[in-house]
């Protein structure tokens, strides 16, 4: 895999902001590039064990620290907050228990994907006072949202426009977000925050006071590996990063490795595999359309998605595997014989599998596993075939 190729595909031409860990990354030897409106590390110095492939492989075998502070963190609070969110997303929010997390989608009226996001029921338990004779109870409903960095301002505008006035939305812009990902993430974190990994399985979240640092820790991530996302006040982010990096299993990893890891995991990336011109059915995200809510509706975009479910889609997101070593990048055309049948939305060389992989939207007649297709790369047609995703099995921890 070419580090330079991934680098060039991610660079943006805009005035970037600075994240809380910007100087920390530079001190670690990071090469910084503009991404989603911020200067972010794409990879670290090879002399210190960095480089996209090395960081990718370290994550698959040990644990890596990713800075994902560019992503938006929001808190939605107030009586009726769950029902208000359910009017905008297809996920079942009202049935989400405190401490549980759900992947869902913000859709427009046409069923187009405005963003994909994680919703956590962050409602707090209020302890009772035995002397005062009061019992414990759940506090005001609260939902913690993590949205994509490149779309967060549009998301905020959309939510402000459509949430009722009595629902409060707070942009947690003083919070950094650190992702710890890899099969040794839990054992490393257990030494830093005793008991935390044992308290969580995949898609569960908790608050945790680490000394004076109030954290929200979620067992999730976007690499296909077991891992944790830690929301920390920005002023403590560097101290927390230093503390985690003191563990022998943990090294820093940048955007380049994050992209190749999520591609192997078959996870779509907003702005590449998802946008307002795509819908959840075509994107093979029907699992995010909760069965009961598919039937009852009541959410923005339901009619359009119901029609797709009933009548079928013109195209679908599929996985493609290629032979050789030449990867097919985003935008490459997909052919069946002389007929153009689709377009690649993400592609690269898989360090784990040792051959190129890609995601593409192809016509619905060409989605069957094993279908032989061709991808045009540098004026050459490369043979490809439809393959199931994830390309590399997920290793989320769901409990013993």
């Amino acid at each position: 895999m070419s580090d330079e190729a991934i680098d060039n595909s991610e660079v943006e031409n805009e005035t970037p902001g600075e994240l809380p860990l910007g100087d920390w990354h530079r001190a670690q030897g990071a090469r910084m590039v503009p991404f989603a409106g911020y200067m972010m590390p794409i990879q670290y110095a090879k002399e210190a064990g960095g480089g996209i492939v090395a960081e990718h492989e370290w994550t698959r075998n040990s644990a890596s620290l990713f800075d994902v502070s560019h992503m938006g963190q929001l808190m939605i609070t107030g009586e009726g907050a769950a029902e208000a969110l359910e009017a905008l997303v297809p996920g079942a929010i009202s049935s989400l228990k405190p401490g549980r997390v759900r992947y869902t989608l913000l859709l427009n009226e046409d069923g187009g994907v405005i963003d994909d996001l994680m919703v956590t029921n962050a409602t707090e338990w209020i302890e009772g006072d035995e002397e005062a004779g009061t019992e414990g109870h759940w506090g005001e409903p609260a939902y913690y949202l993590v949205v994509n960095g490149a779309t967060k301002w549009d998301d905020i505008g959309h939510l402000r426009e459509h949430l009722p006035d009595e629902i409060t939305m707070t942009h947690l812009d003083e919070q950094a977000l650190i992702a710890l990902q890899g099969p040794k993430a839990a054992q490393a974190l257990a030494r830093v925050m005793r008991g935390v990994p044992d308290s969580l399985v995949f898609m569960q979240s908790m608050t945790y006071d680490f000394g004076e640092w109030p954290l929200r820790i979620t067992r999730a991530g976007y690499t296909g590996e077991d891992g944790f996302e830690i929301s920390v006040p920005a002023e403590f982010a560097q101290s927390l990063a230093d503390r985690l990096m003191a563990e022998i299993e943990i090294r820093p990893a940048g955007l380049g490795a994050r992209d190749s890891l999520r591609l192997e995991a078959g996870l779509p990336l907003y702005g590449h595999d998802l946008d307002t011109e795509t819908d959840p059915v075509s994107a093979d995200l029907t699992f995010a359309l909760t069965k009961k809510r598919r039937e009852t509706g009541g959410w923005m975009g339901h009619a359009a998605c119901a029609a797709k479910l009933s009548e079928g889609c013109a195209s679908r997101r599929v996985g493609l595997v290629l032979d050789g070593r030449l990867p097919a990048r985003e935008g490459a055309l997909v052919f069946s014989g002389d007929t153009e049948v689709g377009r690649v939305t993400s592609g690269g060389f898989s360090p784990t599998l040792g051959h190129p992989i890609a995601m593409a939207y192809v016509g619905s007649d060409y989605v069957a596993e094993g279908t032989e297709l061709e991808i045009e790369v540098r004026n050459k047609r490369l043979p490809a075939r439809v393959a199931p995703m994830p390309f590399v099995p997920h290793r989320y921890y769901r409990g013993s």
Side-chain angles (χ1 to χ4, degrees), residues 80-95:
E83 293 76 11
L85 281 171
E86 281 193 338
L88 300 179
V89 303
I93 307 302
S94 296
S95 61

Side-chain angles (χ1 to χ4, degrees), residues 48-302:
I52 291 174
V53 174
E55 292 163 24
H56 179 113
E57 293 176 342
W58 187 263
T59 309
R60 285 275 182 251
N61 294 297
S62 189
S64 293
L65 186 155
F66 297 85
D67 181 4
V68 289
S69 301
H70 64 299
M71 301 185 77
Q73 299 181 67
L74 311 174
M75 190 68 81
I76 309 294
T77 57
E79 292 298 331
E83 293 76 11
L85 281 171
E86 281 193 338
L88 300 179
V89 303
I93 307 302
S94 296
S95 61
L96 193 62
K97 295 179 180 178
R100 300 301 176 95
V101 185
R102 180 153 288 152
Y103 173 87
T104 192
L105 302 154
L106 270 180
L107 303 175
N108 61 27
E109 292 285 7
D110 297 328
V113 180
I114 297 172
D115 200 3
D116 61 339
L117 64 153
M118 303 285 271
V119 179
T120 300
N121 185 339
T123 305
E124 295 183 359
W125 177 255
I126 309 298
E127 295 292 344
D129 186 332
E130 188 172 341
E131 292 186 2
T134 58
E135 296 183 352
H137 62 92
W138 291 108
E140 180 182 59
Y143 292 87
Y144 167 68
L145 276 54
V146 177
V147 303
N148 279 293
T151 58
K152 65 183 173 185
W153 296 112
D154 288 341
D155 292 355
I156 289 170
H158 180 81
L159 289 165
R160 282 191 172 140
E161 179 181 356
H162 294 286
L163 287 175
D165 291 342
E166 59 270 25
I167 302 300
T168 300
M169 178 173 63
T170 306
H171 183 194
L172 307 177
D173 55 353
E174 297 298 320
Q175 292 289 114
L177 191 62
I178 292 172
L180 190 63
Q181 296 283 292
K184 297 182 181 177
Q187 71 183 62
L189 188 65
R191 290 195 295 273
V192 180
M193 301 176 193
R194 185 170 298 177
V196 168
D198 291 339
S199 301
L200 298 173
V201 298
F202 181 58
M203 299 297 267
Q204 288 186 350
S205 182
M206 64 184 288
T207 56
Y208 183 81
D209 290 330
F210 188 55
E212 62 179 314
W213 310 341
L215 310 177
R216 171 161 290 282
I217 306 174
T218 302
R219 197 158 192 166
Y222 224 61
T223 63
E225 294 292 337
D226 182 26
F228 305 84
E229 291 189 347
I230 305 171
S231 176
V232 54
E235 61 190 296
F236 301 132
Q238 181 170 327
S239 298
L240 180 59
D242 285 338
R243 178 64 190 88
L244 293 170
M245 284 281 290
E247 299 304 313
I248 194 169
E249 296 93 343
I250 301 174
R251 291 180 180 174
L255 290 170
R258 182 174 163 81
D259 192 57
S260 55
L261 289 158
R262 72 92 193 166
L263 177 58
E264 287 184 347
L267 300 172
L269 181 64
Y270 197 86
H272 299 259
D273 312 292
L274 300 173
D275 57 31
T276 54
E277 300 301 314
T278 59
D279 64 87
V281 184
S282 303
D284 196 28
L285 296 176
T286 50
F287 73 89
L289 311 180
T290 308
K291 184 175 183 297
K292 184 176 180 181
R293 303 209 68 223
R294 288 186 210 174
E295 298 167 354
T296 58
W299 38 277
M300 189 175 290
H302 172 257

Side-chain angles (χ1 to χ4, degrees), residues 296-343:
T296 58
W299 38 277
M300 189 175 290
H302 172 257
C305 290
K308 297 276 186 182
L309 287 165
S310 169
E311 301 165 10
C313 302
S315 64
R316 301 290 288 260
R317 180 174 66 95
V318 298
L320 295 170
V321 297
L322 296 82
D323 297 328
R325 299 188 67 82
L326 188 60
R329 300 293 184 187
E330 180 179 356
L333 300 178
V334 183
F335 290 86
S336 175
D338 293 331
T339 304
E340 180 184 322
V341 299
R343 184 181 295 268

